[in-house]
Amino acid sequence: MDGRMTRSGDPTLRLAVHPYREGWATHPAKGPVDECGVFGIYGHPEAARVVYHALIALQHRGQESAGIVTADGANLYTHRGLGLVSDVFEKPESMARLVGEIGIGHVRYATYGASRLGNAQPVVVNTRRGGLALAHNGNLVDAPVIRHRLEEGGAIFTTAIDTEVLAHLIVRSRAASIEEAIVDAINQVHGGYALLILTEDRLVGIRDPHGIRPLQLGRLNGSWVLASETCAFDTIGAEFVREVAPGEMITISEHGKLRSQSVVKEPARPRPCIFEFIYFARPDSNLAGVNVHSVRKAMGRELAREAPADADIVIGVPDSSISAATGYAEESGIPYEMGLIKNRYIARTFIMPTQTGRESALKLKLNPLRKVMEGKRVVLVDDSIVRGTTSRHLVKLLREAGAREVHMRIASPPYRYSCPYGIDTAQSGELIARGREVDEVRDAIGADSLAYLSLEGMVKATGLPVDGPGGFCVACFTGDYPVPIPEDLDKYMLEGGKGR
Ligand code: AMP
């Protein structure tokens, strides 16, 4: 689909939209949100094969498109496509072409309206300094404004994604070396990002100044690897070395020499995204040195202490809430039961463009176990409520399956603000907790009771030595955006995230 089309397919509806700001009018279009997974390797004889396996491990971070670019010291080799990693690289020829010992890969999350091959990453450009490929997880909040400026100066864009803005900035830099040009470009943009850049003979990894998006460094025998999540290292047999620091740029060049430098002018307070812990990352990954499953379980325990329920069984919404639900069950002493069966072959319901689409996909995806549910008072634990589609549907489903009472418990606080840093949730106007008190949300989803985990309880559950919520990006719960959104952004936004 062309990035300028609206969800309804009406190309005339090219309204300027800004999904994050308070009070913006509800509009079916989306901003340039790219919630994705990245992986890079330097110095492996079968770089493409390793990237492929790592991308499969990161598939949960994006199912819309996948791509790999490799380099052999002189040229770049690219293969990208729409769909799952295994589909995109189904034909052996597509892998065989990807020669070289350096490589980067990307999986992209579906954001409706911008789903087309042209938006698949890595973005590849030919420059006077040679070929350059960029793979990016996150979102640059000022990309539309910069894009507008560049387009006015004659720049031509071929995708709707902000990664291309970075490519332009790198190419335009007058700096002597490619590393300096990258630093130049990075200093002109703001947002939450984990970025991998491949040149013909080097690999660069950068994490945003607040460390909002995750990036990990590892070692696979003699090769260096960089990944969004540590589960990719486990899959390929790599060893975790450390997290890339907020604002750090790592360059790996000849013979695997690793150089680290800070690319931020003024150090910023680290504020990693708490939603990675809540929902997005895989439970077998570690973030900031702590295991995601353990954190989710601790969130469930905390929730049980804060919001007990008089009930017979606890069930979780597969898969992301199972950890929290087991924590809730253990702490409360109420037995955990397998109450919902998930059909693994149904794509994520969250990303369906229409409400009817989301609802019917949910029916296909989750089925309650009537035998377990009949006559029971059920605690239903989910990691989050965004639009409320899932909770509303599940409460009804459990009642139809015989549940006597349904007590909804959410292992995170009310989600009230849209994310501008790369987590694709709904726009603010669609968020069910926006402008509603908890009991109003309870009524809207039809539960007997509803309780959310407190902000403090959530932070405590991470076990990390931070001084409260300010040690994370918790903007989706509080509206406190660590990276300011440009005031005049609305002027530059078009449907599909294209700059005007
Ligand atoms: P909703 O149905 O809109 O209330 O979305 C909440 C459900 O979607 C919960 O079951 C979450 O596990 C899941 N979820 C939360 N955030 C996301 C996200 N960014 N992408 C996909 N699913 C999500």
Side-chain angles (χ1 to χ4, degrees):
M1 167 179 252
D2 186 276
R4 283 181 193 254
M5 296 282 279
T6 62
R7 272 185 191 184
S8 59
D10 177 2
T12 59
L13 255 178
R14 289 167 52 185
L15 294 183
V17 288
H18 174 23
Y20 318 120
R21 186 155 308 128
E22 297 258 7
W24 69 283
T26 304
H27 186 278
K30 282 242 178 207
V33 177
D34 279 302
E35 174 187 27
C36 311
V38 293
F39 180 84
I41 185 161
Y42 185 101
H44 195 286
E46 288 183 279
R49 185 184 54 80
V50 181
V51 179
Y52 172 75
H53 288 151
L55 290 186
I56 288 185
L58 297 173
Q59 185 78 81
H60 62 289
R61 298 186 71 87
Q63 300 96 43
E64 178 193 292
S65 67
I68 299 178
V69 180
T70 55
D72 62 359
N75 292 299
L76 298 190
Y77 306 89
T78 310
H79 185 74
R80 293 174 301 204
L82 289 177
L84 300 177
V85 179
S86 53
D87 296 334
V88 173
F89 293 95
E90 194 187 6
K91 296 202 179 108
E93 314 80 272
S94 51
M95 286 296 284
R97 264 193 307 183
L98 299 174
V99 295
E101 301 202 344
I102 326 172
I104 60 172
H106 188 269
V107 285
R108 180 161 196 260
Y109 197 93
T111 51
Y112 192 81
S115 169
R116 59 190 173 102
L117 186 54
N119 289 339
Q121 293 196 41
V123 163
V124 183
V125 287
N126 287 314
T127 78
R128 63 182 191 284
R129 302 179 209 265
L132 210 61
L134 295 91
H136 167 217
N137 164 218
N139 189 37
L140 307 175
V141 291
D142 42 9
V145 183
I146 301 170
R147 179 182 176 127
H148 171 73
R149 203 185 67 219
L150 293 172
E151 281 181 331
E152 288 217 316
I156 295 168
F157 281 80
T158 57
T159 75
I161 48 181
D162 48 1
T163 321
E164 202 182 357
V165 170
L166 263 174
H168 273 274
L169 294 177
I170 295 170
V171 171
R172 293 167 86 91
S173 167
R174 292 177 191 280
S177 71
I178 183 72
E179 278 95 343
E180 286 167 300
I182 293 170
V183 175
D184 236 17
I186 283 294
N187 275 310
Q188 295 172 61
V189 298
H190 300 91
Y193 52 86
L195 175 69
L196 296 183
I197 301 176
L198 179 76
T199 71
E200 286 157 5
D201 60 1
R202 62 197 63 198
L203 170 65
V204 177
I206 308 168
R207 196 167 170 210
D208 66 83
H210 289 286
I212 296 176
R213 300 265 67 87
L215 190 61
Q216 323 285 338
L217 177 69
R219 202 87 165 113
L220 177 61
N221 303 322
S223 327
W224 287 108
V225 283
L226 286 158
S228 297
E229 285 184 43
T230 59
C231 66
F233 295 163
D234 298 340
T235 304
I236 59 169
E239 254 173 63
F240 170 75
V241 174
R242 64 175 175 86
E243 289 215 311
V244 176
E248 181 183 6
M249 169 164 140
I250 284 181
T251 308
I252 305 156
S253 53
E254 67 284 2
H255 311 301
K257 200 174 93 207
L258 185 144
R259 194 162 84 90
S260 157
Q261 68 188 103
S262 172
V263 286
V264 288
K265 288 194 180 124
E266 284 165 34
R269 186 173 187 194
R271 299 194 68 177
C273 166
I274 195 92
F275 213 70
E276 291 276 353
F277 281 107
I278 295 167
Y279 168 81
F280 206 50
R282 247 171 67 160
D284 50 342
S285 284
N286 294 342
L287 292 171
V290 290
N291 171 246
V292 172
H293 161 74
S294 312
V295 170
R296 287 184 188 159
K297 203 164 169 188
M299 286 171 172
R301 284 182 175 282
E302 197 60 38
L303 182 60
R305 284 192 285 269
E306 288 183 8
D310 214 0
D312 306 309
I313 53 170
V314 176
I315 68 172
V317 182
D319 296 312
S320 52
S321 306
I322 303 297
S323 307
T326 50
Y328 191 101
E330 277 183 21
E331 184 66 26
S332 62
I334 305 170
Y336 180 80
E337 257 293 6
M338 193 165 78
L340 285 165
I341 305 302
K342 180 175 166 184
N343 183 329
R344 296 190 185 284
Y345 307 98
I346 308 294
R348 284 183 166 184
T349 49
F350 189 86
I351 53 174
M352 294 272 168
T354 65
Q355 192 61 13
T356 332
R358 277 192 289 272
E359 279 162 17
S360 45
L362 262 174
K363 279 205 191 93
L364 294 170
K365 188 163 138 183
L366 293 167
N367 196 34
L369 255 165
R370 186 171 285 275
K371 185 99 186 92
V372 167
M373 220 63 71
E374 261 165 1
K376 298 285 187 347
R377 295 167 304 162
V378 180
V379 175
L380 176 59
V381 179
D382 204 352
D383 53 81
S384 56
I385 302 184
V386 182
R387 294 184 184 87
T389 317
T390 308
S391 325
R392 195 182 288 124
H393 171 77
L394 288 180
V395 169
K396 188 160 159 270
L397 206 65
L398 298 198
R399 289 200 201 283
E400 283 167 5
R404 193 145 54 87
E405 290 171 17
V406 182
H407 301 278
M408 194 85 204
R409 294 291 179 271
I410 306 300
S412 61
Y415 197 114
R416 295 206 164 104
Y417 302 86
S418 207
C419 175
Y421 311 126
I423 293 278
D424 174 29
T425 54
Q427 296 171 9
S428 298
E430 297 170 324
L431 301 169
I432 195 169
R434 178 84 168 191
R436 281 194 177 94
E437 294 301 326
V438 174
D439 52 352
E440 292 173 309
V441 179
R442 178 203 61 210
D443 293 347
I445 64 171
D448 291 283
S449 74
L450 166 69
Y452 290 89
L453 181 62
S454 69
L455 202 59
E456 295 68 30
M458 171 180 74
V459 171
K460 190 172 140 204
T462 64
L464 287 167
V466 294
D467 52 349
F472 292 96
C473 178
V474 290
C476 49
F477 306 119
T478 61
D480 163 26
Y481 291 112
V483 183
I485 299 151
E487 267 309 306
D488 54 350
L489 190 59
D490 305 28
K491 282 212 309 254
Y492 304 103
M493 298 286 288
L494 279 182
E495 158 57 12
K498 275 200 163 192
R500 214 187 264 270

